[in-house]
């Protein structure tokens, strides 16, 4: 997208921390990408390796603008579980940037709930 | 950004998302309700569920997994420049619990849509059982009115559905944007109230607690 301060902001996004933290582990924790995690192609985008599959390319192209994992899956007509894995790999490789979806904690913070409420009332 | 998919992207300023679940039996109006308020035409997708034991955060325990695939609808409302709300519609039946329990994690709350016409209400019972026993989610009950729906008082419904006194019960027309927004507002107000309320019981332990409450033999 066009907002000039996006890259700096998204690099500090807490959604990326788990990926940083999992470096060196045998398997990244895919649980950190939830259905409403927001995805956007990293700008500037590193080019995909020649070995990248059609679905990965399609996902990356879909994410030229900001949208959630579940929206990307629906528009690509792929199961969420498949897109979750693709997205996770593309985040690990730096092609996609993830922004926090719903918190993993079972209960939302009061502040966030209040923000949702204010937003709904203003519609 | 002239047309097509470009219109469907979120503003680049959005950094957070919140979800609300819309649960109800078949044909109760879930897709209609989501479509009435969504800024994108409701999308449909499927989620594959892999059920693993609770509290397992690595993937070592794959032996016991079981998968189910369920379709779900969803829509989206951008609430302010940094926050998007997603609404997910899923069937409420027992065999879909795995799906919506997974969806419910981290959700603001659950909107249970019910149809009170004769023979249709029963389909909701197991949803409430699961919400009250299986989760700590705030939920509201919205009664979707069809042309032949007979009006019942809130207290009649509360009794019929065996709901707690504090659970909000509201009327709704799933086709009407203002009506649906009112239900969503009621749900989130209730969630805020609960968050404000007396300290709730601590979250349940991820693993079953040691069996300190083993039944004791009563010898008379
Ligand atoms: N009169 C009236 N009809 C409604 C209302 N809500 C939904 N309908 C109709 O009821 C039917 C079912 O609505 P849906 O929104 O598809 O219900 P659903 O819960 O998504 O159904 P499934 O996904 O099949 O479980 C459709 O024909 C709707 O047009 C309402 O508030 N009033
Ligand atoms: Mg539907």
């Amino acid at each position: 997208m066009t907002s000039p301060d996006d890259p700096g902001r998204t690099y500090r996004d807490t959604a990326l921390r788990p990926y940083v933290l999992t470096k060196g582990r045998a398997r990244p924790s895919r649980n950190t990408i939830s259905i409403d995690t927001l995805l956007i192609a990293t700008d500037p985008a590193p080019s995909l390796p020649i070995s990248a599959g059609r679905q990965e390319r399609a996902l990356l192209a879909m994410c030229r603008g900001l949208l959630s994992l579940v929206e990307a899956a629906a528009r690509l007509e792929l199961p969420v579980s498949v897109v979750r894995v693709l997205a996770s790999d593309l985040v690990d490789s730096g092609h996609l940037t993830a922004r926090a979806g719903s918190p993993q904690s079972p209960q939302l913070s009061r502040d966030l709930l209040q923000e949702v409420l204010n937003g709904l009332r203003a519609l | 950004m002239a047309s097509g998919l470009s219109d469907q992207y979120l503003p680049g300023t959005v950094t957070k998302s919140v979800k609300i679940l819309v649960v109800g039996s078949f044909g109760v109006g879930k897709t209609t309700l989501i479509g009435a308020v969504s800024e994108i035409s409701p999308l449909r997708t499927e989620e594959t569920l892999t059920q693993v034991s609770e509290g397992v955060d690595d993937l070592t325990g794959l032996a016991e997994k079981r998968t189910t695939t369920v379709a779900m609808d969803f829509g989206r409302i951008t609430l302010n420049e940094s926050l998007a709300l997603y609404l997910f519609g899923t069937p409420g039946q027992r065999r879909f619990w795995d799906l919506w329990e997974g969806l419910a994690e981290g959700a603001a709350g659950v909107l249970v849509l019910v149809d009170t016409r004769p023979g249709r209400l029963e389909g909701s019972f197991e949803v409430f059982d699961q919400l009250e026993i299986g989760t700590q989610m705030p939920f509201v009950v919205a009664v979707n009115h069809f042309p032949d729906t007979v009006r019942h008082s809130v207290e009649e419904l509360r009794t019929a559905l065996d709901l707690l006194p504090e659970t909000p019960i509201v009327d709704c027309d799933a086709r009407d944007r203002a009506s649906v927004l009112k239900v969503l507002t009621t749900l989130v107000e209730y969630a805020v109230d609960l968050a404000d309320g007396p300290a709730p019981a601590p979250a349940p332990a991820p693993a079953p607690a040691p069996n300190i409450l083993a039944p004791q033999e009563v010898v008379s």
Side-chain angles (χ1 to χ4, degrees), chain B residues 17-71:
Chain B
S17 58
V18 165
K19 57 191 176 180
I20 286 177
L21 254 62
V22 179
V23 181
S25 37
F26 286 116
V28 74
K30 300 178 295 292
T31 306
T32 305
L33 180 143
I34 290 169
V37 291
S38 177
E39 66 199 17
I40 55 173
S41 33
L43 291 165
R44 192 171 185 79
T45 188
E46 55 182 45
E47 170 82 306
T48 306
L49 290 165
T50 303
Q51 197 184 39
V52 289
S53 36
E54 293 245 11
V56 176
D57 65 0
D58 63 13
L59 294 174
T60 50
L62 288 175
E64 293 294 321
K65 76 172 185 176
R66 182 169 70 77
T67 60
T68 328
T69 302
V70 192

Side-chain angles (χ1 to χ4, degrees), chain B residues 25-32 73 144-147 172-175:
Chain B
S25 37
F26 286 116
V28 74
K30 300 178 295 292
T31 306
T32 305
D73 299 309
N144 197 16
H145 281 271
F146 293 88
C172 127
D173 181 336
R175 299 162 301 179

